[in-house]
Amino acid sequence: MSVNERLLAWTEVELGVESAVLDVVTTPATVLSTPGADVDPADPRIVRLAADLVATMRVSPGCVGLAAPQVGESVKVFCVDVSQHPKTRDHHGTFVLCNVRVLESSRNEKAREGCMSAPDFTGDVKRASRVVVRGQLPGTGEEVTVEANAFEARALQHEIDHCDGYLFLDRVAGAHAIHARKTYL
Amino acid sequence: MTLHAITLVGHDRPGIIAEATGILGSLGLNLDDSTMTLLRGQFAMTLICDGEASADAIESALQPMTGPLAVTVREVPDERTTSTPATSWVLSVHGGDRPGIVSSVVSRVAGAGGNITDLTTHLKGDLYLLVAEVDLPADADVEALRTALGVVADEFAVGVTLNPVEADEL
Ligand SMILES: [Zn+2]
């Protein structure tokens, strides 16, 4: 697998804007089930949204990705950072992508996922462990093609699903593949 | 809010869920948590419903459903389960059918402080299969439990595995 050096070098500092931590929307909320609109990556509001997504991801414990619908914005923008996760193989550090499409996917693997927007459940979801996606960087609008594997591939597909109006609840592998999360004392 | 625990078991046929849930709906009951599954040609439904109808009214409304049917309705308290931090595991057992496999396996899990949240068994031909979702206390001795399960596995000549299934936050 080849890492996209441009994306790996990207950080939110490039956005050059202030950021704020946003509230995360949880189910049931129609925005989570609505396909997001394509965006102009150079639009100052999208640049600001990109910065806010990264800031919100950073303050959320264990969070490795966040999509615009999760902060109430029905658009195709998400951030990912799996660099600290034990299941990660190759990765591109922190990045934000707009208007992402999956070009190729292969090698399905099943794993249990949780999501900040559906906090009461986890679900067993089969996803490709290798993907090639294409999207645009916020701000400059540069086209990037990204090959990802293992946990980064899973995170990308989870966030792309959010942008298309799908939750992991839409992807579970069967009637016994949804699990109620425990409420701790 | 009144909660009712309802069980229905009847010969499987198309429309059995539609008929049962239609009756419950007409009594103003909401289906909260439920599990419904096909067991050897019998369709088994276990439901927790909320609504103001009495247990007797629910039972007599369900009794006229077509086909032989076992129905029970009991009012239950609203108990939200809370638990201490735990790790999640899947336990699977497969092998020849032997009396006592299930009780032997699950008693080892209980002995380790484990809590089974879901369990299914299937007997198909000579193969007996058990799959369970198990929560173990954060400080449980997993290797000791694996050893104890290994002893049961040898005794019954079955395969027993216990695998972690932690969810990844995305
Ligand atoms: Zn999510």
Side-chain angles (χ1 to χ4, degrees):
Chain A
M1 199 205 87
S2 63
V3 168
N4 182 317
E5 296 297 336
R6 171 65 184 106
L7 194 62
L8 179 61
W10 191 93
T11 73
E12 67 272 29
V13 175
E14 284 192 28
L15 296 169
V17 292
E18 298 277 291
S19 65
V21 172
L22 304 176
D23 288 334
V24 174
V25 175
T26 57
T27 51
T30 50
V31 67
L32 294 170
S33 302
T34 306
D38 280 328
V39 296
D40 170 5
D43 182 334
R45 285 174 309 172
I46 295 304
V47 174
R48 177 60 201 251
L49 174 62
D52 292 349
L53 284 170
V54 173
T56 308
M57 172 175 71
R58 293 225 190 282
V59 300
S60 308
C63 183
V64 297
L66 200 63
Q70 293 183 274
V71 295
E73 299 288 339
S74 195
V75 292
K76 287 187 183 356
V77 182
F78 65 78
C79 65
V80 160
D81 182 356
V82 299
S83 59
Q84 302 306 309
H85 197 278
K87 290 190 181 170
T88 296
R89 204 167 335 141
D90 299 304
H91 69 81
H92 294 85
T94 304
F95 58 88
V96 179
L97 289 174
C98 307
N99 308 324
V100 176
R101 304 281 187 271
V102 176
L103 303 182
E104 288 171 38
S105 64
S106 58
R107 291 183 225 150
N108 278 333
E109 270 177 23
K110 198 159 82 176
R112 193 164 292 186
E113 295 184 4
C115 175
M116 284 169 79
S117 293
D120 296 328
F121 295 97
T122 60
D124 301 328
V125 182
K126 216 183 235 187
R127 297 197 191 270
S129 60
R130 181 190 166 274
V131 292
V132 179
V133 305
R134 182 176 294 156
Q136 292 166 291
L137 293 175
T140 64
E142 289 161 82
E143 280 274 313
V144 286
T145 301
V146 186
E147 193 180 345
N149 61 26
F151 195 62
E152 189 175 60
R154 177 167 290 267
L156 278 167
Q157 291 164 87
H158 181 106
E159 304 311 332
I160 292 166
D161 265 0
H162 273 304
C163 292
D164 290 340
Y166 296 109
L167 296 171
F168 73 88
L169 302 173
D170 298 300
R171 300 272 186 232
V172 287
H176 269 73
I178 288 266
H179 311 275
R181 218 195 266 271
K182 285 84 201 174
T183 316
Y184 295 131
L185 289 170
Chain B
M1 184 180 72
T2 307
L3 286 183
H4 292 95
I6 301 170
T7 65
L8 287 109
V9 182
H11 185 73
D12 187 41
R13 59 183 163 79
I16 187 169
I17 302 177
E19 193 182 348
T21 55
I23 291 169
L24 296 173
S26 70
L27 293 168
L29 294 168
N30 295 311
L31 269 69
D32 295 352
D33 289 9
S34 67
T35 176
M36 311 188 194
T37 197
L38 188 58
L39 304 171
R40 291 246 149 177
Q42 300 296 314
F43 201 76
M45 309 182 210
T46 309
L47 313 98
I48 301 291
C49 294
D50 74 80
E52 296 313 319
S54 73
D56 285 348
I58 299 168
E59 201 162 331
S60 45
L62 291 169
Q63 283 300 353
M65 280 180 65
T66 36
L69 208 67
V71 178
T72 68
V73 183
R74 295 282 181 279
E75 199 177 303
V76 291
D78 189 3
E79 285 167 341
R80 294 294 144 124
T81 50
T82 52
S83 52
T84 49
T87 56
S88 300
W89 304 77
V90 170
L91 171 70
S92 63
V93 179
H94 55 88
D97 185 24
R98 305 286 168 84
I101 289 185
V102 177
S103 62
S104 295
V105 167
V106 300
S107 66
R108 299 307 186 283
V109 172
N115 187 29
I116 294 174
T117 57
D118 196 342
L119 184 150
T120 55
T121 67
H122 294 280
L123 176 61
K124 194 93 181 177
D126 291 334
L127 178 66
Y128 193 74
L129 177 66
L130 177 155
V131 183
E133 295 271 338
V134 179
D135 288 343
L136 293 176
D139 60 354
D141 186 342
V142 176
E143 284 318 306
L145 174 58
R146 281 209 171 102
T147 304
L149 290 170
V151 172
V152 176
D154 291 344
E155 187 185 332
F156 288 90
V158 294
V160 179
T161 53
L162 182 67
N163 289 314
V165 277
E166 283 310 304
D168 297 315
E169 302 306 320
L170 289 163

